[in-house]
Amino acid sequence: MLSTLMAGFGLGFSLIMAIGAQNAYVLRQGLQGQHVLPVILTCALSDAILISLGVAGFGTLTAWVPWFETAMRLGGVAFLTVYGLRALRSAWTGGAAMEVQAAPDRKQAATPGVQTALWPAVLTCLAFTWLNPHVYLDTVVLLGAISAQYTPTWVFGAGAIIASFAFFFSLGYGARLLAPVFARPRAWQALDAGVGVVMLGLAVKLLVM
């Protein structure tokens, strides 16, 4: 069972670690220190649901509902385009630098000049997750199909879920190590520009696939 668990962990980690819209958003929230835990849990729990569906044999959904993949793809294109253009606009106008303030635990923490509300952050994270057709292809179809080669399949799925939690917690909270770098406005402009390029690139890729 340990080998099955590690196989699921390895595959899950390799699928999720690729640079994408969801990961870029988690990184940005981690750097800002805004709603990090809710965003991380939203991503990890969404992955857990999708992985569970895949392991349970839900990967045949696209065969049952032929238009499902196309609808999710076009929805993802629209969302990524809007968010990518917003990120490029933020890079052009200057964005916001991180200010070093005293945290309640007396350590120095980096916080952004403009705070965002919790629910918009969570809803944006949900959109990045559930409007990305690659998520369904990777976590539901691909991972679900491979899990059928292992016994018991739920152990394989558990390994992939653990990998998702480990990755997002590392990305979200590990981003704080880069806080001194992003105390400079230019660094935020570079990040926003990179995020915008990634988003628009993914949108084009989804559109032509």
Side-chain angles (χ1 to χ4, degrees), residues 88 91 189-199:
L88 291 179
Q189 287 181 275
L191 177 64
D192 283 332
V195 169
V197 170
V198 169
M199 303 302 179

Side-chain angles (χ1 to χ4, degrees), residues 18-51:
I19 297 298
Q22 184 188 52
N23 295 348
Y25 184 72
V26 174
L27 175 63
R28 198 177 199 285
Q29 291 299 114
L31 287 168
Q32 291 177 320
Q34 292 188 7
H35 315 303
V36 179
L37 182 59
V39 166
I40 289 172
L41 290 178
T42 298
C43 292
L45 290 174
S46 295
D47 268 8
I49 293 172
L50 291 167
I51 291 169

Side-chain angles (χ1 to χ4, degrees), residues 69-161:
E69 182 180 344
T70 300
M72 296 307 300
R73 179 168 58 86
L74 295 179
V77 168
F79 181 79
L80 289 171
T81 299
V82 171
Y83 196 93
L85 292 175
R86 287 179 57 189
L88 291 179
R89 180 177 180 273
S90 179
W92 178 261
T93 57
M98 299 179 72
E99 301 172 356
V100 178
Q101 301 176 350
D105 60 356
R106 297 186 180 182
K107 295 180 180 179
Q108 296 296 309
T111 57
V114 178
Q115 293 289 327
T116 58
L118 172 61
W119 285 113
V122 171
L123 290 175
T124 299
C125 188
L126 286 172
F128 278 134
T129 302
W130 295 90
L131 289 180
N132 182 3
H134 288 294
V135 170
Y136 298 92
L137 294 175
D138 290 344
T139 59
V140 178
V141 179
L142 178 60
L143 198 146
I146 295 177
S147 69
Q149 304 175 16
Y150 293 86
T151 303
T153 56
W154 68 266
V155 174
F156 183 90
I161 291 173

Side-chain angles (χ1 to χ4, degrees), residues 7-19 23 138 142-143 163 167:
F9 184 94
L11 178 60
F13 203 90
S14 64
L15 289 176
I16 201 172
M17 69 181 298
I19 297 298
N23 295 348
D138 290 344
L142 178 60
L143 198 146
F167 176 82

